[in-house]
Amino acid sequence: MTESKEAIDVAIIGGGVVGLSAACTVAGRGHQTCVIEREQRFGLGGSTHNSGVIHAGIYYPTDSLKATLCVEGNERLYSFCRKHDIPHNRCGKLIVTDSNNLATLEALVTLGRTNGVKHLELVDRAFIRKREPYVEAVAALWSPSTGIVEAESLIRILTKEATSQDVALLPSTQLKGGADSDDVLEVRTGHETIMARTVVNAGGLYADEVSAAFGGNPFTIYPVRGDYAELIADANNLIRGLVYPLPDASGHGLGVHATRTTWGTVTLGPTARYQSQKDDYESHRDSLEHFHKAACRFLPSLKIDQLKPGGSGIRARSAPADAAFSDFRIGRDSQVPRLIHAAGIDSPGLTAALAIAERIADLVDTTLT
């Protein structure tokens, strides 16, 4: 093991979409930066195991970090994708309902508008059928600023951008421990000890363990598994864009929804199940019957033999199963001020990543002055 003799400005732990976005923004402000990632490649966790949806900011409590940073991050992400030719599609989204839940849909419109989401519209069956001929619903919320992005391409471009700004990228590097030492933090890995004036904790599912390694204020990250199914190629014409039910009453997810990807396939999901393991993507997978039943509520012509198993992902949630809402955790640690947390970044973290990066960079600037 070796030890760096001079302290760098910022060590970012976690090379997902938030960690890489933060690295680009922090380095762009002139700070010497490195990114430590436990996996062999960047973005292998929740950053690329999700629906790839660019959210508008409809669902989240007003003035929450999720609401504020999703609305802010939405246009930032579209602009970034246009600038770097990242595959994406501002296809819009329908949140559909039957006649029994019109009041819930209207409340969702009100919440979205209060959050600053523009151009939301309540639409009727004729509008729905024009955009989605196979979808059956009485009414829907139409969100034209919702879209999709190819997450893997986004990660590749962020990695390239970080490299162009002289960010030291350290894949296959696992945090082994840390210490608060005078005016620096010691970042101990299996290869070396890095001295950093500031550490950004973007550790995803392991953010609580990262905090503990530096003696930070304790918190818990709760793994929430989400499974997907896919429509077989012959059935992909059943969905043109994004179709969602009303969000799950438990608050654990947005319901099993249909997403047409940038490469033309259609996925159903994700489901939401709290589990103890942070790396279990396979056990007790939801059945095709489960996805079929959920999808038939708005896609009645779908047959179960038109489905096949898809992937799965694990969300890093900051609140337990009985909590009504789980917000992002972004801020300086109360016990270790040089430790900045970007934790509990589940959906809409992909959408909000560039906005989160600005918040982190502001905190870094304040810490280093």
Side-chain angles (χ1 to χ4, degrees), residues 14 16 39 47 55 81 83 102 112 128 136 174 179 187 195 213 255 262 271 278 296 308 359:
E39 302 292 347
S47 298
H55 287 283
C81 289
K83 178 179 179 180
L102 292 176
I128 297 166
E136 179 59 43
Q174 187 164 345
V187 182
M195 312 299 285
T262 56
T271 53
K278 296 181 177 182
C296 278
K308 62 181 180 179
R359 288 285 183 102

Side-chain angles (χ1 to χ4, degrees), residues 20-207:
L20 290 172
S21 296
C24 292
T25 306
V26 169
R29 298 190 184 186
H31 302 303
Q32 186 183 16
T33 305
C34 75
V35 179
I36 297 166
E37 169 55 45
R38 61 189 288 134
E39 302 292 347
Q40 295 179 348
R41 290 190 293 114
F42 295 96
L44 286 182
S47 298
T48 53
H49 288 77
N50 60 69
S51 299
V53 173
I54 302 176
H55 287 283
I58 299 168
Y59 302 97
Y60 320 108
T62 301
D63 296 328
S64 66
L65 287 173
K66 284 188 174 181
T68 302
L69 295 174
C70 183
V71 172
E72 181 182 337
N74 175 278
E75 193 51 53
R76 282 183 183 272
L77 184 52
Y78 279 123
S79 297
F80 190 82
C81 289
R82 289 192 297 268
K83 178 179 179 180
H84 296 283
D85 294 322
I86 297 170
H88 71 288
N89 184 10
R90 195 194 289 254
C91 56
K93 174 172 74 174
L94 289 167
I95 304 175
V96 299
T97 188
D98 56 23
S99 58
N100 296 322
N101 293 288
L102 292 176
T104 303
L105 193 68
E106 291 169 353
L108 205 55
V109 175
T110 300
L111 177 60
R113 289 171 177 167
T114 302
N115 287 347
V117 182
K118 298 178 180 179
H119 310 302
L120 294 179
E121 184 182 357
L122 282 173
V123 297
D124 60 14
R125 188 193 301 268
F127 184 100
I128 297 166
R129 282 295 177 87
K130 185 176 180 179
R131 298 200 64 88
E132 296 286 354
Y134 296 97
V135 169
E136 179 59 43
V138 170
L141 187 163
W142 168 240
S143 171
S145 61
T146 304
I148 53 172
V149 62
E150 189 176 294
E152 291 84 356
S153 294
L154 175 61
I155 290 292
R156 284 196 297 270
I157 293 298
L158 286 170
T159 303
K160 181 179 178 181
E161 285 293 294
T163 301
S164 72
Q165 296 190 60
D166 296 322
V167 175
L169 299 176
L170 306 174
S172 301
T173 303
Q174 187 164 345
L175 180 70
K176 297 295 185 180
D180 187 358
S181 176
D182 297 325
D183 58 347
V184 297
L185 294 176
E186 296 180 13
V187 182
R188 300 167 186 159
T189 76
H191 309 295
E192 61 184 333
T193 296
I194 300 169
M195 312 299 285
R197 296 171 64 198
T198 303
V199 168
V200 174
N201 174 14
L205 287 163
Y206 302 91

Side-chain angles (χ1 to χ4, degrees), residues 229 245 256 268 287-300 302-304 307:
V256 170
L268 294 177
S287 66
L288 292 181
E289 288 78 9
H290 175 85
F291 289 101
H292 182 249
K293 181 180 179 181
C296 278
R297 293 169 185 164
F298 58 84
L299 196 63
L302 179 68
K303 299 178 176 59
I304 193 166
L307 294 177

